[in-house]
Amino acid sequence: MTLFAHPDFDHHEQIIYGNDRASGLQAIIAIHNTCRGPALGGLRIHAYPTEERALADALRLSRGMTYKSAIADLPLGGGKAVIIADPKRHKTPALLEAMGRLIASQGGRYITAEDSGSGEQDMQIIAGVTEHVSGLRRHGNASGDPSPFTAWGVFNALRCAVRHGLERDDLTGLRVAIQGVGHVGEHLARHLHDAGAHLILADVDTQAVKHLANELHADMASPLDIFDAEVDIFAPCAMGAVLDKRVCERLKASIVVGAANNQLATPEMADRLHQRGILYTPDYVANAGGLIEVAWQRREDYRHDLVMEHIAGIERTLDEIFDRASREQCSPAPIADRLAEERFSPRND
Ligand code: NAD
């Protein structure tokens, strides 16, 4: 396997491999771009079946962070770290400390944070070794959970998409299907309920979905049928790559907007949605609320109202993206990419 010919390699500035025999650490840090600032991105701990899969994840996710930070106007670049280990069985303090030393060796070019397989407690252990850790609450948001901020951003994005796609200013009576009522999906459902929308909820966790549906007087659909729901808006808040060929054909909604990362199974799916007249809201624009809050946690002048104002700015960014897409008669996805790229100049191009 050669790095520079790897399909997910996109002029990444640096890839760092780390090994620590004593703790069993095998890790990769991918730094995609630092033009706007240090590369921030979560630490994923996962039992990757092969080293190649771990590298692909680090390359893809670090690039995504560059775009998300740039579009959210944060003074940050894009990076990601992965540890090849089962977080349930192999995550030890020694492993995390070794990871901390690897991060420290970068001298601040890479800043880590929580991601799947790592949590706030793990960040505290890493912070014992290096200061280059985010996701530790210094001001406000004592729970350390970015999901309410992500959900607030998605809600703002949804309102904007409704203005552009349905030419409506209010959400009263609109039908919204939410796929996944976990951390973000549940908060989003509450915002939408308060705004007068009617909800159709699906989750593989049947207890959780029943409970929330009862409370919010929502309908339920099975995880397999949620794509066929007769709704105005489809909100993917579960896993990535959900918008594949079959789902793009099945959707009845006029708008897609949700929290999930990497919703498009392939970039071409954006064109397919556009051809079907479905307004796609670029995921990394809509779901940047949590990252915005994490970035503010690094500042001495953290203020909750300023964080919320910054997150509400997602609506202005989307206004620009939807306007440009409508002028150019194309999907908003490539427009968002171009706008993000205008905000960071790739170093190695
Ligand atoms: P979560 O794990 O708390 O919730 C995901 C929910 O989806 C769970 O309830 C799970 O049971 C459900 N689910 C899984 N597979 C499903 C399926 N096939 N059909 C229906 N439901 C299914 O995760 P989260 O923190 O709420 O994040 C949701 C998505 O948003 C993820 O893709 C995540 O990467 C992305 N995201 C989250 C944040 C954040 O702040 N948490 C920020 C940016 C992006």
Side-chain angles (χ1 to χ4, degrees):
M1 175 187 44
T2 57
L3 174 63
F4 298 133
H6 194 288
D8 293 304
F9 179 75
D10 176 45
H11 299 288
H12 290 67
E13 289 178 15
Q14 202 180 357
I15 310 297
I16 302 111
Y17 278 74
N19 179 65
D20 178 67
R21 185 192 283 193
S23 66
L25 178 77
Q26 289 189 326
I28 304 171
I29 298 175
I31 297 178
H32 177 251
N33 187 289
T34 55
C35 288
R36 294 182 63 90
L40 186 141
L43 167 62
R44 185 162 286 193
I45 306 178
H46 183 73
Y48 291 98
T50 62
E51 185 187 316
E52 187 158 9
R53 293 274 286 275
L55 174 66
D57 232 12
L59 291 173
R60 205 169 36 79
L61 295 167
S62 59
R63 179 180 183 273
M65 290 306 293
T66 299
Y67 280 74
K68 198 187 288 204
S69 287
I71 207 87
D73 226 354
L74 296 169
L76 295 168
K80 204 83 185 181
V82 298
I83 297 180
I84 305 170
D86 179 346
K88 291 210 175 81
R89 293 194 303 144
H90 302 128
K91 193 168 66 176
T92 59
L95 183 91
L96 294 166
E97 281 162 9
M99 188 66 205
R101 290 193 293 277
L102 184 66
I103 293 165
S105 74
Q106 295 310 299
R109 269 173 58 72
Y110 169 70
I111 301 164
T112 202
E114 297 148 24
D115 198 273
S116 108
S118 70
E120 199 180 2
Q121 276 187 344
D122 305 325
M123 293 304 125
Q124 271 158 1
I125 295 173
I126 293 174
V129 182
T130 173
E131 62 186 291
H132 305 301
V133 183
S134 237
L136 291 172
R137 305 296 131 176
R138 297 194 302 149
H139 329 265
N141 184 19
S143 75
D145 176 10
S147 309
F149 298 93
T150 303
W152 177 240
V154 175
F155 179 67
N156 278 272
L158 184 145
R159 274 199 309 220
C160 184
V162 164
R163 257 192 295 109
H164 285 263
L166 301 175
E167 295 178 8
R168 282 184 55 159
D169 279 326
D170 75 300
L171 307 181
T172 319
L174 281 183
R175 292 172 62 83
V176 185
I178 304 183
Q179 181 201 31
V181 291
H183 286 93
V184 183
E186 179 178 346
H187 287 291
L188 177 65
R190 291 184 195 285
H191 289 309
L192 288 166
H193 173 73
D194 292 348
H198 181 77
L199 303 174
I200 297 157
L201 308 176
D203 199 297
V204 287
D205 181 340
T206 43
Q207 281 312 312
V209 75
K210 256 189 207 159
H211 192 78
L212 191 66
N214 274 343
E215 188 193 326
L216 304 182
H217 309 292
D219 289 330
M220 286 187 291
S222 82
L224 294 176
D225 297 336
I226 189 74
F227 312 109
D228 303 314
E230 295 283 351
V231 289
D232 303 290
I233 300 158
F234 175 66
C237 297
M239 66 290 181
V242 63
L243 301 171
D244 61 16
K245 241 183 189 166
R246 270 162 39 103
V247 166
C248 287
E249 298 311 321
R250 281 168 69 184
L251 286 180
K252 307 274 193 305
S254 325
I255 290 171
V256 174
V257 53
N261 281 314
N262 303 317
Q263 291 165 23
L264 299 166
T266 62
E268 295 75 44
M269 294 305 113
D271 297 329
R272 189 61 203 124
L273 290 173
H274 177 67
Q275 285 155 5
R276 289 205 56 217
I278 300 172
L279 185 67
Y280 170 69
T281 312
D283 45 18
Y284 64 85
V285 187
N287 72 14
L291 175 65
I292 291 171
E293 202 272 338
V294 166
W296 269 87
Q297 287 283 348
R298 297 172 42 75
R299 294 173 56 154
E300 291 307 324
D301 60 345
Y302 182 101
R303 266 184 33 203
H304 181 76
D305 58 331
L306 295 180
V307 174
M308 298 312 259
E309 214 174 280
H310 193 149
I311 294 174
I314 287 175
E315 217 167 322
R316 283 190 298 282
T317 306
L318 279 173
D319 270 335
E320 186 176 344
I321 290 167
F322 289 142
D323 282 342
R324 279 207 213 180
S326 147
R327 277 200 302 277
E328 297 182 28
Q329 299 191 348
C330 67
S331 162
I335 302 288
D337 286 353
R338 231 186 298 149
L339 187 62
E341 284 157 10
E342 284 168 14
R343 296 179 180 189
F344 72 87
S345 41
R347 246 191 196 162
N348 300 317
D349 269 1

